[in-house]
Amino acid sequence: MDWYQTLFELIDMRSFSNLWFWIVLAVVWSTTSHYGIGVPFDMVLRAKRHGGQTETDLEDLVRINTNRIMFIANMSGLWIAGFACFFLTILGLLGFVYGNEFAQSLILLGFPLSIVGLLSISTARLIQQEDARGEHLRKRLMRHRLYTQIIGMVSIFVTALWGMYQNLNVGPFGG
């Protein structure tokens, strides 16, 4: 028995039975829901409680991030969308047509994140069009966070169901 076989028996390299995949999934969705359009949610809460300079800081950070998001979307949005669709299609085919578990895990992580990306562009566009400030801006950011959390909960639920199905279907030793 060589050391490759020993290593792969010791550390399960399949995605859905690997603890690291679930840790990454939790960290990704926690971070994504905390940083809506690049603005930390604690900053939104602090601006709501204290107002004044913290409100101005929030508005400045939102203005900087929305300008950046809209610049990227306007200049190279079609290219990014094309490449994203290409890679998601490749992952979907590899994962669900050819049965590659790693590709399945990446599509179950990447597809919902692409929806959050589109939501971020939509929110940034609305903030710019409305010239949102103060309470209206905070409500818009809270709504964005709520939608992101809903997408994350559905994503984690579907991923957990698919992962349990894969683990029960394949078995503990990949047979």
Side-chain angles (χ1 to χ4, degrees):
M1 178 152 60
D2 60 351
W3 69 280
Y4 286 117
Q5 188 176 3
T6 305
L7 180 68
F8 280 102
E9 283 181 7
L10 183 63
I11 303 171
D12 190 6
M13 300 305 276
R14 292 184 9 244
S15 296
F16 297 113
S17 59
N18 193 332
L19 178 63
W20 289 108
F21 170 74
W22 297 104
I23 291 171
V24 166
L25 184 73
V27 168
V28 163
W29 282 111
S30 174
T31 304
T32 301
S33 70
H34 183 70
Y35 290 97
I37 66 170
V39 178
F41 189 69
D42 63 293
M43 191 173 193
V44 177
L45 294 177
R46 220 178 11 235
K48 183 177 183 177
R49 278 190 225 118
H50 302 292
Q53 185 60 42
T54 55
E55 184 92 36
T56 305
D57 292 346
L58 174 68
E59 291 173 356
D60 289 342
L61 186 57
V62 169
R63 180 184 47 79
I64 290 167
N65 286 337
T66 55
N67 287 342
R68 182 175 172 268
I69 289 169
M70 293 312 301
F71 176 77
I72 292 170
N74 291 332
M75 295 306 290
S76 56
L78 288 176
W79 283 100
I80 292 171
F83 282 119
C85 288
F86 172 75
F87 286 116
L88 289 173
T89 302
I90 294 295
L91 287 174
L93 288 172
L94 285 173
F96 297 107
V97 174
Y98 294 107
N100 185 319
E101 194 173 308
F102 184 68
Q104 290 172 0
S105 65
L106 289 179
I107 192 77
L108 289 170
L109 189 60
F111 180 70
L113 286 174
S114 67
I115 295 172
V116 171
L118 293 174
L119 179 65
S120 296
I121 292 170
S122 174
T123 301
R125 182 169 286 135
L126 285 171
I127 288 171
Q128 277 191 345
Q129 287 175 350
E130 297 168 346
D131 193 29
R133 297 186 187 284
E135 180 68 24
H136 184 64
L137 176 63
R138 289 192 308 272
K139 282 184 179 179
R140 177 72 60 198
L141 291 172
M142 287 182 173
R143 190 173 306 128
H144 176 80
R145 182 172 194 242
L146 175 67
Y147 293 158
T148 301
Q149 287 177 331
I150 290 170
I151 293 168
M153 286 187 299
V154 170
S155 171
I156 290 170
F157 180 73
V158 169
T159 303
L161 284 180
W162 185 257
M164 285 187 284
Y165 170 75
Q166 287 296 100
N167 287 336
L168 292 173
N169 192 32
V170 174
F173 299 108

